[in-house]
Amino acid sequence: MAPVQPSQDSLDRRKVVGINAETVTNITSTDFPGHHAGEDLSWSLDKFANNLKIQFHQNEELEATFSLVGVDAAVANAFRRILIAEVPTLAIEKVYVSNNTSVIADEVLAHRLGLIPLKGSISGLKWLKWYIQANPEYGIEGMELSDYNTIVLKLNVRCERNPNADKNATEPEEKYINSSVYSRHIVWDPMGQHSERFADGEVKPVSPDILIAKLRPGQELDMTLHAHLGKGGDHAKFSPVATATYRLLPTITITKPILGADALKFQKCFPPGVIGIERVTPTESASDNPDYKGREGDEKAVVKDPMRDTVSRECLRHDEFKNKVKLGRVQDHFIFNVESTGQFPSDMLFLDAVSVLKYKAKRLLRAVDALEK
């Protein structure tokens, strides 16, 4: 049978998941050979490249929002999981305690320190190599500590009474010096090539105001911290993102005009900016549509920005909108939101996730070739 070319309207309908008052329909993908008779749905690299689209809606250092169009849900979810668990980042891994007279136990304090996100020169962070710890039980030969794999930080804080404090002062910040230990007290101790490699930005906590511990006069913290590269799959402290999520693009189709007071009520069923209000034009009033007859100048509801919609289905709960609106989501249009913890720019993290997936694909091909041999 000769290939059948469906209309664009038919192709668009196939990609929309139906959102009804109580159910969800058309959730199964149909873009595979044999599903639609006569159609050539075979996969090709050229077809994939032509259909793939990436559009940024927000691109800031700590947060990026972009649309990824033309990929399968499995691929989109692979990027999300890689962002969370497999993009390598730098975090404090070992804490050597010389003195800790605070009320916080050593292991609890070490855990708090590990969760403090670090930042520094991007080129320097990319220059670092993995540190492998020796494990005789599994026959793993370890790597020596060096400037290639270890960042050294110091935390040395002692609490003392403030000699200049007012005698009536009651707040610890006024009565004592260093009553609170913050991330700003962590000091980078460059080793080897670190001063050169991190010339564009020293290694330090992303925020200087992260509270680590509280001290009282005579209490002291004296620690040496070693930071290594790691993956979020091993520990959450190595995850480069605060959140990495995606959602399908909502669609709102007004099938019959919604006019007057109903238009204002319809607008309130959605988040701000989703539905706009316009006036019925003379052309529409003179058209054959009976709903517009004599309604020139009346308010009517129009879809303004469906991307802002949260698909709450509120409009489907009102009888006056019955059979006047259809809600859906586009199956292959993913709206990603990536929030960086601050070590790398948010848009760079997605590119790193693509590199990781590419490496996994090449490793799989090598494994398949080895099996064939």
Side-chain angles (χ1 to χ4, degrees), residues 60-317:
E60 299 176 358
E61 184 178 3
L62 296 180
E63 184 174 5
T65 303
F66 58 92
S67 290
L68 181 63
V69 186
V71 300
D72 190 77
V75 176
N77 196 48
F79 286 136
R80 182 190 67 84
R81 292 173 65 93
I82 291 172
L83 279 167
I84 294 172
E86 298 193 53
V87 174
T89 55
L90 182 73
I92 296 170
E93 174 69 7
K94 295 186 180 298
V95 177
Y96 300 93
V97 181
S98 299
N99 193 9
N100 174 21
T101 54
S102 71
V103 297
I104 304 179
D106 291 352
E107 57 271 22
V108 176
L109 195 56
H111 183 264
R112 292 174 67 88
L113 290 167
L115 292 175
I116 296 175
L118 305 174
K119 66 177 181 180
S121 169
I122 300 298
S123 59
L125 293 170
K126 295 290 186 181
W127 169 77
L128 289 173
K129 304 294 187 291
W130 289 90
Y131 167 69
I132 302 173
Q133 187 175 4
N135 192 330
E137 182 180 350
Y138 295 102
I140 298 175
E141 183 178 350
M143 182 185 295
E144 293 294 329
L145 293 178
S146 71
D147 55 350
Y148 287 97
N149 54 42
T150 304
I151 298 293
V152 180
L153 303 159
K154 300 285 188 179
L155 178 60
N156 191 346
V157 183
R158 180 180 176 84
C159 181
E160 299 175 344
R161 294 187 183 275
N162 184 1
N164 301 320
D166 190 298
K167 64 178 181 179
N168 297 321
T170 57
E171 294 298 324
E173 289 77 11
E174 300 175 6
K175 294 172 62 178
Y176 314 127
I177 299 173
N178 293 331
S179 62
S180 296
V181 182
Y182 292 98
S183 53
R184 69 174 74 98
H185 291 114
I186 297 176
V187 179
W188 176 45
D189 187 13
M191 300 285 175
Q193 301 181 57
H194 288 172
S195 297
E196 176 187 350
R197 295 290 181 175
F198 292 89
D200 296 337
E202 65 179 53
V203 179
K204 60 182 179 181
V206 169
S207 171
D209 300 322
I210 300 174
L211 181 63
I212 299 173
K214 291 192 174 184
L215 304 179
R216 289 300 177 263
Q219 294 181 345
E220 180 182 2
L221 293 179
D222 186 6
M223 301 178 170
T224 300
L225 320 173
H226 285 185
H228 302 296
L229 289 181
K231 297 188 299 183
D234 297 328
H235 195 286
K237 67 183 178 183
F238 291 114
S239 182
V241 294
T243 60
T245 62
Y246 65 80
R247 60 190 178 96
L248 295 177
L249 175 69
T251 62
I252 305 168
T253 305
I254 298 176
T255 57
K256 292 184 179 180
I258 301 176
L259 308 172
D262 286 350
L264 297 175
K265 182 176 181 180
F266 186 74
Q267 185 184 43
K268 293 179 180 179
C269 292
F270 297 86
V274 176
I275 301 297
I277 300 296
E278 295 181 358
R279 299 286 178 176
V280 177
T281 64
T283 303
E284 291 172 329
S285 180
S287 67
D288 295 333
N289 192 331
D291 294 316
Y292 285 135
K293 289 292 184 181
R295 302 298 296 267
E296 181 181 345
D298 282 1
E299 295 173 324
K300 68 172 181 178
V302 295
V303 179
K304 186 177 179 182
D305 187 3
M307 187 175 292
R308 296 173 178 265
D309 187 25
T310 57
V311 194
S312 65
R313 309 188 194 189
E314 175 63 26
C315 63
L316 301 180
R317 299 186 176 98

Side-chain angles (χ1 to χ4, degrees), residues 30-52:
T30 61
D31 55 348
F32 53 87
H35 190 277
H36 297 285
E39 286 190 36
D40 180 16
L41 293 172
S42 58
W43 191 91
S44 71
L45 183 60
D46 290 338
K47 187 188 298 184
F48 173 79
N50 291 332
N51 293 333
L52 179 65

